[in-house]
Amino acid sequence: MKTKLESIDSDRVPNHIAIIMDGNGRWAKNKGMQRVFGHRNALTAVRESVNAARDAGTKFITLYAFSTENWNRPKLEVDALMSLLVSSLKSELPNFHKNGIKVNSIGAVENLPKKAQKVLESIIEQTAINTEITLTFALSYGSREEIVNAIKNISKKVVNNEIDVKKIDEKVINNHLYTFNLPDVDLMIRTSGEQRISNFLLWQMAYAELYFTDVLWPDFRKEHLFDAIINYQNRERRFGKTSEQIDTNV
Ligand code: IPE
Ligand code: IPE
Ligand code: MG
């Protein structure tokens, strides 16, 4: 019997996987615990999914860790999430090195507490030499805000004659997003049964395959990620073409 990893076609692995890590609160509630207990138990899922993606040959994984809208949660929960971010980034550093993980971030990180900004910056710097997989944390991230910022920055350049309006194309817009150094998303996974995008990578997911699973994030393991990749490989990505064109490569 082939293992799940062996069932993956190494020539057709999604290059960039993005995950909406959802369901921590419900996971805790199911156990009669406070929501924060769910967040505290989410680290294994993070570790497993990043390592699984790397094992499969994926080069970029982006995790939605905190949205612009999540600032509206009770202060107690926001504070707990921020301190968990700091402690997990610190404790994971040896794992990042051991597994060749290069850490990156997207979002309005200037809105994070100073301590979190510092730790994040330091981890990004220290892991910059790693080359197996790029792990991007979306923190204080909102896709609409990202697009608004891009428009503002491009407009400023137009006013200063740095960019000609006629030259504005998809590439220019890409270069002004937080994700300027990341490829488009190939596969987006959301856990917990919710089937929505929640303001995540709207531009970057234009042609992503979407995969939804009922598994709550703290229960997510390597096998679940492999299942998602196998499911992805059973789809035909047509990018507007016909099936016949894809088959004959024209
Ligand atoms: C995802 O789990 C973690 C974050 C959004 C930070 P939730 O906290 O959204 O858990 P549910 O959706 O309430 O179960
Ligand atoms: C999306 O989850 C944000 C993160 C996973 C960080 P939410 O649980 O905040 O999403 P909605 O608001 O229920 O769609
Ligand atoms: Mg949620």
Side-chain angles (χ1 to χ4, degrees), residues 20-22 64-67 70 73 190 194 196 198:
I20 302 180
M21 312 184 287
D22 199 12
Y64 205 5
F66 196 87
S67 71
N70 288 149
R73 291 194 178 189
R190 183 171 188 148
E194 307 298 353
R196 54 178 175 262
S198 302

Side-chain angles (χ1 to χ4, degrees), residues 45-59:
V46 171
R47 207 180 283 142
E48 292 236 346
S49 47
V50 176
N51 287 337
R54 194 210 53 170
D55 292 349
T58 290
K59 298 306 280 181

